[in-house]
Amino acid sequence: MENHLAPAVEQRVPRKTRPWLKPVIFLGVFAAIVLLGIFVDDPLTASRTEVGACLKGDVDNAESIRNVECGTPEANFKVVGKQGGKSEGGILLSGGSECDEYPTADLYYFQGRQTAPDGILLCLENLKNPGARLPAVGDCLPGDAFAAKKLETVDCVGAHFKVLAIENRPDLAVEDRACASVPSTDMKLTSYSGTGGLIPRDRVLCLDELK
């Protein structure tokens, strides 16, 4: 009779649980989500963007606009004005002329719906390619009226005109009342005509003749 060895019985040793493992996994997943949020930019939310903030991207491509730290090479625009209660239709009619009241505004960015009056208009200064700037109140201009129209400011010592006020005047006004509130105005200088709105508006400089 042959003796056969009994088959060895495999003993399964229960694996020890590691109570610390689940929190570590949770923290790892959480850290990955945080890092993803840092490196993936969120689309711009105009309602949470304040005056003084800087943006990057292309205003003709709304999806590319993002918040960015001012002073960095990426910063293309700075928010110099913000207005709420706007609709896309209204902005199309006005051509963004609401931004005219901000002297350094070069362009605008609108976020909202076409008909609902709950959109946000951001008036932007172009940091990389700023447009021509109007003189500010208190600035001085040289020479005669022709030279003054170039809007090149000079030192007030030896200047010919000083800007007392800057006003907007509708082209269709029955009576020209520009600078009427500035009695010491010697000359009114129309610097340009806006073309964005249905009723273009002239920007009028009320000048004091120094000589």
Side-chain angles (χ1 to χ4, degrees):
M1 173 180 289
E2 296 181 3
N3 292 327
H4 296 282
L5 295 175
V9 178
E10 182 181 356
Q11 293 185 351
R12 298 184 179 228
V13 179
R15 301 179 69 177
K16 294 182 179 180
T17 59
R18 299 184 176 97
W20 51 267
L21 188 58
K22 285 185 178 180
V24 169
I25 294 174
F26 173 79
L27 289 174
V29 172
F30 178 77
I33 293 173
V34 171
L35 288 174
L36 186 64
I38 292 175
F39 291 107
V40 177
D41 292 335
D42 292 328
L44 174 73
T45 303
S47 60
R48 295 202 299 265
T49 301
E50 299 301 328
V51 172
C54 290
L55 309 175
K56 65 178 181 178
D58 182 358
V59 292
D60 294 326
N61 178 12
E63 296 298 323
S64 71
I65 299 295
R66 299 287 189 274
N67 289 102
V68 70
E69 193 73 23
C70 291
T72 62
E74 290 183 297
N76 293 328
F77 312 105
K78 184 176 183 179
V79 180
V80 295
K82 178 179 179 180
Q83 298 182 15
K86 305 295 181 181
S87 68
E88 184 180 7
I91 296 299
L92 289 175
L93 290 176
S94 69
S97 60
E98 293 88 343
C99 292
D100 286 351
E101 63 182 87
Y102 308 105
T104 60
D106 297 304
L107 65 168
Y108 68 88
Y109 176 86
F110 173 76
Q111 192 172 77
R113 293 173 288 178
Q114 184 171 5
T115 55
D118 58 358
I120 302 295
L121 176 69
L122 299 180
C123 302
L124 308 179
E125 176 184 356
N126 191 329
L127 298 176
K128 299 292 179 64
N129 298 294
R133 298 281 183 251
L134 280 177
V137 173
D139 284 345
C140 292
L141 305 174
D144 54 15
F146 179 79
K149 286 183 179 180
K150 295 181 180 180
L151 302 181
E152 297 175 355
T153 58
V154 296
D155 191 288
C156 288
V157 177
H160 201 97
F161 300 101
K162 185 174 184 178
V163 181
L164 299 176
I166 301 175
E167 298 186 358
N168 291 322
R169 179 191 62 202
D171 280 349
L172 300 183
V174 176
E175 183 181 0
D176 183 4
R177 298 289 299 167
C179 300
S181 60
V182 189
S184 56
T185 297
D186 295 314
M187 187 178 79
K188 294 182 289 186
L189 181 64
T190 301
S191 59
Y192 70 88
S193 295
T195 58
L198 292 178
I199 303 177
R201 295 185 300 172
D202 287 343
R203 185 64 60 88
V204 180
L205 276 64
C206 309
L207 303 181
D208 176 24
E209 189 168 8
L210 303 175
K211 293 184 178 181

